[in-house]
């Protein structure tokens, strides 16, 4: 049989993408160079001192800065509309997000929808944004979501307690400054949860019906770095070398999200976030081994490669190597102090059918899963 040609793929990345300890300082020069004059700095209360010192640097460079720090973890539609409603759209030409995925996603949506008549609910889905109203710059402070380079923004829809996504090339920022020093203050449990999220982005993009060789490069490299360095970043929070490795892995994970995206671990995780407000990374960690064991028979070679990338020894046969990979992941989550059962987190067994039904509505991700 003739081999089919490789499928088409489109990579969209921030045109200015800086990585490395200290690169946040370059954001000031960048903003001046591109002609920014007034900006909204979207951030979150726990990192207010960091945000203030960043804002001071911008003000010293002659920029007008309004700081908005009321972003909670895992924000919803109401938080976005509160942010948009509290600002005069004529008062800023640039949105800067400084925070974890929760902050970055709100900043991305603000840049797209400032001054626009659409409600954010009207643009849930793929490709429904008509453009972006403001310049957009992102600085992640977690090594997790990869939102700083992805075309996605995720919000809780309080109306039906489901996490929903806006997916659009207009959500890829103009610039991202990925500075591992910004993660030094992230407490161990959050480092663990966000790091596992990033690892799952890589795994789900690699073992994916729409996997592509160009994305495989990022996915394998991301897994390699996160699997080897996450425990050190969790247990030695000031280890900048380990933080850098995990943050680069998370950046690679983010680069997988546009062209390929995630699959059933994320789809099944969303209802746990929506109804029980479990942190995104925790929901992913809980479901990871179970979804992978379900998927293994459908793609043993892919999951064996996942295992090898994480440093698991080859067991001589793909399925055995893949199974060893799942055991490695269970152990990694345990080593990082992540929980392993729903009951301990207050999710009763009666909720499971409802969770399953809600997960089945996340078709944009389930269609990627190697096993139906
Ligand atoms: N856009 C995407 O591509 C994408 C991908 C995956 C997940 N998400 C979404 O992103 C959100 C989760 O983002 P997250 O996992 O980065 O966590 P987060 O942004 O919710 O942050 C978690 C907590 O850590 C705090 N925090 C953040 N950085 C800190 C720092 N450096 N020091 C101390 N505290 C800090 C925050 O204030 C928050 O309380 C969810 O809503 C999820 O659905 C988006
Ligand atoms: Fe995720």
């Amino acid at each position: 049989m003739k081999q089919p040609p490789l499928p088409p793929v489109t990579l969209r990345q921030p045109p200015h993408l800086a990585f490395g300890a200290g690169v946040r300082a370059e954001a000031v020069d960048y903003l001046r160079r591109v002609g920014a004059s007034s900006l909204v700095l979207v951030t979150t209360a726990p990192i207010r001192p960091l945000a203030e010192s960043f804002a001071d640097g911008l003000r010293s460079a002659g920029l007008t800065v309004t700081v908005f720090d009321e972003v909670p973890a895992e924000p919803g539609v109401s938080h976005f509309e509160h942010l948009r409603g509290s600002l005069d759209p004529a008062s800023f030409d640039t949105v800067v997000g400084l925070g974890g995925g929760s902050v970055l996603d709100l900043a991305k949506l603000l840049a797209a929808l400032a001054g626009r008549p659409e409600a954010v609910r009207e643009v849930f889905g793929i490709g429904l944004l008509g453009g972006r109203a403001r310049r957009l710059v992102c600085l992640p402070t977690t090594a997790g979501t990869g939102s700083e380079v992805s075309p996605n923004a995720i919000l809780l829809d309080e109306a039906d307690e489901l996490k929903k996504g806006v997916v659009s090339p207009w959500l890829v920022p103009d610039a991202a400054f990925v500075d591992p020093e910004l993660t030094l203050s992230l407490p161990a449990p959050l480092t663990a949860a966000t790091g596992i999220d990033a690892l799952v982005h890589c795994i789900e993009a690699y073992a994916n019906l729409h996997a592509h060789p160009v994305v495989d490069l990022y996915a394998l490299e991301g897994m390699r770095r996160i699997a080897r360095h996450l425990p050190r970043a969790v247990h030695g929070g000031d280890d900048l070398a380990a933080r850098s490795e995990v943050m680069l892995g998370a950046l690679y994970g983010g680069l997988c999200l546009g062209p390929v995206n995630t699959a059933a671990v994320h789809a099944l995780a969303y209802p746990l976030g929506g109804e029980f407000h479990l942190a995104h990374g925790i929901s992913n960690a809980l479901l990871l081994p179970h979804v992978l064991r379900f998927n293994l028979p459908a793609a043993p070679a892919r999951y064996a490669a996942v295992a090898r990338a994480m440093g698991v020894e080859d067991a001589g046969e793909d399925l055995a190597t893949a199974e060893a990979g799942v055991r490695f992941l269970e152990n990694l989550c345990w080593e990082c102090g992540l929980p392993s059962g729903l009951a301990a987190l207050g999710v009763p067994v009666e909720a499971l059918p409802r969770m399953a039904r809600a997960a089945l509505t996340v078709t944009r991700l389930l269609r990627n899963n190697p096993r139906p």
Side-chain angles (χ1 to χ4, degrees):
M1 213 172 65
K2 232 169 100 188
Q3 186 188 344
L6 289 169
V9 68
T10 303
L11 301 179
R12 289 193 186 87
Q13 299 176 359
H16 189 115
L17 176 53
F19 173 87
V23 295
R24 66 187 178 285
E26 292 174 18
V28 183
D29 279 347
Y30 169 86
L31 285 162
R32 260 205 324 226
R33 207 172 55 246
V34 298
S37 66
S38 47
L39 53 94
V40 174
L41 178 63
V42 183
T43 188
T44 175
I47 54 168
R48 180 87 199 199
L50 190 69
E52 280 303 341
S53 92
F54 185 68
D56 286 346
L58 295 167
R59 290 185 185 113
S60 309
L63 296 156
T64 308
V65 185
T66 307
V67 178
F68 179 96
D69 74 353
E70 295 168 44
V71 181
E74 319 268 328
V77 168
S78 61
H79 300 109
F80 171 71
E81 295 299 358
H82 169 60
L83 164 64
R84 179 162 65 164
S86 65
L87 297 163
D88 170 5
S91 69
F92 59 99
D93 54 43
T94 303
V95 178
V96 177
L98 175 73
S102 297
V103 163
L104 301 187
D105 286 2
L106 281 202
K108 287 162 72 168
L109 290 170
L110 176 66
L113 294 173
R116 304 272 325 155
E118 299 96 323
V120 70
R121 282 200 177 91
E122 291 172 53
V123 295
F124 279 140
I126 300 177
L128 299 178
L129 283 177
R132 180 162 74 228
R134 297 291 181 278
R135 188 180 289 113
L136 172 63
V137 174
C138 285
L139 297 96
T141 65
T142 61
T145 67
S147 178
E148 68 277 8
V149 293
S150 86
N152 311 340
I154 313 292
L155 283 184
L156 170 69
D157 189 345
E158 297 92 341
D160 49 12
E161 295 189 315
L162 261 184
K163 303 266 292 193
K164 295 183 183 166
V166 181
V167 181
S168 164
W170 294 108
L171 292 181
V172 178
D174 295 303
F177 297 86
V178 185
D179 184 341
E181 286 177 1
L182 294 175
T183 65
L184 288 171
S185 58
L186 193 66
L190 291 169
T191 303
T194 51
I196 290 292
D197 178 34
L199 180 57
V200 178
H201 295 160
C202 297
I203 295 173
E204 293 212 288
Y206 186 81
N208 186 301
L209 285 184
H210 300 96
H212 194 285
V214 77
V215 175
D216 290 350
L217 283 176
Y218 294 130
L220 289 168
E221 191 57 20
M223 291 176 223
R224 205 172 73 73
R225 290 179 189 276
I226 298 169
R228 281 176 176 72
H229 298 281
L230 186 58
R232 253 174 66 199
V234 170
H235 297 297
D238 56 358
D239 183 338
L240 188 58
R243 293 279 195 189
S244 301
E245 294 281 348
V246 176
M247 195 148 207
L248 185 56
L251 173 61
Y252 284 135
L255 293 171
C256 296
L257 293 179
V260 172
N261 219 342
T262 57
V265 176
H266 272 72
L268 270 66
Y270 279 137
L272 290 170
E275 186 174 335
F276 293 98
H277 305 284
L278 300 193
H280 177 72
I282 302 273
S283 318
N284 274 312
L286 286 166
L287 286 156
L288 180 63
H290 307 288
V291 173
L292 259 46
R293 285 210 170 90
F294 173 82
N295 281 351
L296 289 192
R302 296 301 271 184
Y303 286 109
V306 166
R308 285 191 293 266
M310 296 187 302
V312 173
E313 215 173 294
D314 202 300
E317 194 250 321
D318 280 347
L319 199 55
T321 308
E323 277 162 2
V326 180
R327 287 194 298 277
F328 171 89
L329 285 167
E330 282 173 323
N331 192 53
L332 181 71
C333 290
W334 176 83
E335 211 183 327
C336 292
L338 288 159
S340 62
L342 292 172
L345 296 166
V347 182
V349 70
E350 302 80 59
L352 295 187
R354 194 162 71 241
M355 299 286 102
R357 274 194 302 276
L360 284 176
T361 67
V362 192
T363 49
R364 77 181 170 89
L365 300 181
L366 287 174
R367 70 182 182 90
N368 295 337
N369 201 55
R371 188 173 167 197

